[in-house]
Amino acid sequence: MNPKLLPANDDLPGQISRIVEEAGETLQAIGKVERFGIQSYHPAGGQNNAAHLLSELADLRHAISVAEQNLTDHAKIILLHGDQKHELHWTSTLITTRELRDLIGDEDHDNDNDFNAEHKAIAVCAGQWHREGLEWRFYVDPELD
C-alpha cells in the first residue's frame, strides 16, 4: 500500500471500498502463488510471492482495522416486538465459547462445537451474546446498562 494512494474519502464508505480494493489485491497475490508457486518472483527481481502475499495481507488487515473502528459506532442488534423496535448496542466485550458456556451454566452440550452449531445468539437479562466466528460478542441494552 502506497500511502499516497490511500482514498481521499476517509469516511466509512471510503474505508469499506478500501477493504474491497485490498481484498482484490490479496486475491491477486494468492492467484500468483497458486499459478507460479510460493517461492517464485518477478523476472526483474524483487519480492518473491511469499513476501508479496504477506505484504498484501498486512494491507488488508490494516484496511479492516480502520473500518472496524468506525463500524462499531453503527453496530446494533434490532429487536422487533410487534410494532415496537428496540436496539442493543455493540460492546468491546468478546469471550470464548467455553467462557460463555460457563457463564450461562450450559450442561446440555458435550463440547464447544456442538454449542456453536446450535446457537447464534443467546439472550441474557442485560442484552444478547452474538457469535462472531468462534467467539461471542456482547450487545448491551442501553436502558439496562
Side-chain angles (χ1 to χ4, degrees):
M1 164 186 59
N2 182 340
K4 293 179 183 177
L5 301 178
L6 288 175
N9 187 358
D10 198 31
D11 61 356
L12 186 56
Q15 293 167 355
I16 292 171
S17 294
R18 183 161 169 251
I19 291 173
V20 172
E21 177 188 352
E22 297 298 345
E25 291 175 6
T26 300
L27 289 172
Q28 184 178 26
I30 291 169
K32 288 181 180 180
V33 166
E34 292 291 316
R35 184 169 180 199
F36 301 111
I38 197 81
Q39 294 297 330
S40 181
Y41 54 90
H42 191 276
Q47 292 180 319
N48 71 4
N49 285 342
H52 181 67
L53 178 55
L54 285 171
S55 176
E56 293 301 339
L57 287 169
D59 291 349
L60 178 58
R61 275 192 305 275
H62 181 263
I64 290 169
S65 177
V66 168
E68 278 181 334
Q69 291 173 15
N70 198 347
L71 279 167
T72 58
D73 294 337
H74 303 280
K76 296 178 173 69
I77 302 296
I78 309 301
L79 303 174
L80 301 175
H81 301 286
D83 60 347
Q84 294 182 344
K85 179 176 103 171
H86 191 72
E87 294 182 349
L88 303 179
H89 294 213
W90 184 94
T91 70
S92 60
T93 305
L94 195 63
I95 63 174
T96 66
T97 300
R98 176 79 256 161
E99 290 170 319
L100 180 60
R101 290 179 61 210
D102 289 345
L103 183 69
I104 65 172
D106 173 60
E107 296 178 359
D108 298 331
H109 301 89
D110 293 331
N111 57 57
D112 291 352
N113 290 337
D114 290 346
F115 182 87
N116 285 338
E118 186 175 327
H119 300 286
K120 291 184 180 179
I122 302 287
V124 293
C125 59
Q128 289 185 358
W129 291 96
H130 282 258
R131 187 161 43 88
E132 293 183 3
L134 297 178
E135 296 179 307
W136 291 80
R137 167 92 49 207
F138 187 65
Y139 284 79
V140 66
D141 183 337
E143 295 177 12
L144 300 175
D145 187 27

